Each structure stands twice: as C-alpha cells, then as structure tokens.
Amino acid sequence: KKHIAANHLVPRQLSEHGLTKEHIDFSSEIIEHVISGYTREAGVRDLERQLASVCRAAAVQVADYRLRNGLPLQNPPPVQDQN
C-alpha cells in the first residue's frame, strides 16, 4: 500500500487538487500513519479517499493564505517562447 500511495495515489491527488510537493509533503512516515490509522480495508480505495481528504484541507489552507496575502488563487500559466 505504501508503495502504491507514494508512486501513484499521492501524485494523482496532488494534481487533482492543484497542489505541488512544495505545498504538502507526504513523507513515508505520513503515508504509514494514514494507512495504519485511517484505513480499514485491504485495498487502496479507502486510502485514496483519506489522501484526498488531506489534499482538500491543504488546498483550502493554500487558497486562504493566497487570499489573505493578495496573491492570485492560481499560478499564471508558464510563458512559452515564441521562437
């Protein structure tokens, strides 16, 4: 479960919630804590739900910080070279 979470579920949830690794750090210890404390089934469905919940909370905190500091809610798209 830990391997699947680190390599597949966490990147997917970060992407779906508009977060990057700079916004939230899912260390091995954190993933193990979520697995042991918040999941009950053998599969990864419940684990993904729990990771999504953590990402939603982090996304709210990021948005709140940006609003309080007058920053745009989304990063501007990267500028592409016209050459």
Side-chain angles (χ1 to χ4, degrees):
K1 276 185 168 182
K2 189 168 115 177
H3 174 77
I4 292 170
N7 294 319
H8 301 285
L9 302 179
V10 168
R12 180 180 356 181
Q13 291 303 318
L14 290 176
S15 175
E16 286 182 10
H17 291 88
L19 299 170
T20 66
K21 291 181 180 183
E22 295 169 354
H23 293 120
I24 186 169
D25 178 30
F26 278 102
S27 65
S28 296
E29 294 82 19
I30 298 295
I31 292 172
E32 286 177 21
H33 179 74
V34 172
I35 291 170
S36 66
Y38 296 95
T39 60
R40 306 280 185 255
E41 61 186 35
V44 296
R45 229 180 334 197
D46 198 36
L47 174 58
E48 186 164 25
R49 280 188 215 116
Q50 294 300 324
L51 294 172
S53 178
V54 171
C55 286
R56 278 191 301 276
V60 167
Q61 289 180 351
V62 168
D64 184 50
Y65 173 82
R66 288 177 175 254
L67 285 173
R68 282 188 283 118
N69 292 292
L71 300 170
L73 287 178
Q74 295 181 344
N75 291 330
V79 177
Q80 295 190 5
D81 192 12
Q82 298 294 329
N83 295 332

